[in-house]
Amino acid sequence: MPATDTRLATRTILVIDDDADFLTTVRSVLEREGYAVVAAESGAEGLHQLRACHPDLVILDVMMESPTEGYSVNEAIKYSGDFGAFEQTPIIMVSSIQESPDDRFPRAPEVDMIRPDRYLTKPLDIPQFLEIVRKAVRH
């Protein structure tokens, strides 16, 4: 029987971003590392795919259908009873917005509800991104 690398075989990553070039690039980078990648181009499609693929990690853009769509998706996954089965799924938010939610909304009492597990800015530092992904899927 041939040996199989099962290290990442069961790791699925859901990437939610409306930028087709970003989706293509990130899919290529992650698949080259052995991850299964499911892509969604909107927050609504992302939430649908979340239920369909049960990912080990979500990579999420901020600005999609609206300037704050990613924050709404993050809140739905982490705090909505509708997605309770996924509330422990790690979320890495990736955006061209340089300020994290904490910096962007320092006085907002709800900032805890929109704070992802990690916040990265575009363009990505690919080696750093892959290390963060590896750590997140090991949770």
Side-chain angles (χ1 to χ4, degrees):
M1 183 178 278
T4 305
D5 183 2
T6 59
R7 183 172 48 107
L8 302 173
T10 60
R11 302 299 188 194
T12 300
I13 299 175
L14 172 59
V15 183
I16 307 170
D17 198 306
D18 63 345
D19 180 337
D21 292 334
F22 181 81
L23 283 174
T24 299
T25 301
V26 169
R27 177 190 292 272
S28 175
V29 166
L30 293 172
E31 286 178 345
R32 199 169 46 240
E33 294 293 313
Y35 298 103
V37 178
V38 176
E41 295 181 2
S42 70
E45 182 185 356
L47 291 172
H48 173 77
Q49 291 290 0
L50 180 77
R51 284 192 171 118
C53 74
H54 297 268
D56 298 287
L57 172 66
V58 174
I59 297 172
L60 176 63
D61 188 21
V62 174
M63 297 189 308
M64 292 179 285
E65 300 98 311
S66 73
T68 59
E69 184 67 20
Y71 298 132
S72 297
V73 171
N74 184 81
E75 181 179 352
I77 294 170
K78 297 290 188 183
Y79 295 98
S80 166
D82 294 341
F83 299 96
F86 305 101
E87 66 187 16
Q88 298 302 314
T89 303
I91 297 175
I92 299 173
M93 197 170 276
V94 179
S95 180
S96 58
I97 298 170
Q98 298 300 305
E99 302 89 9
S100 71
D102 290 306
D103 295 333
R104 203 165 171 210
F105 307 108
R107 299 187 202 286
E110 304 85 11
V111 75
D112 288 341
M113 296 180 77
I114 62 170
R115 183 185 299 119
D117 297 290
R118 289 297 302 258
Y119 188 88
L120 302 175
T121 57
K122 297 176 184 176
L124 290 173
D125 173 328
I126 298 300
Q128 175 196 36
F129 171 69
L130 289 173
E131 183 58 30
I132 291 168
V133 166
R134 280 185 205 100
K135 288 178 181 175
V137 297
R138 279 191 223 133
H139 79 280

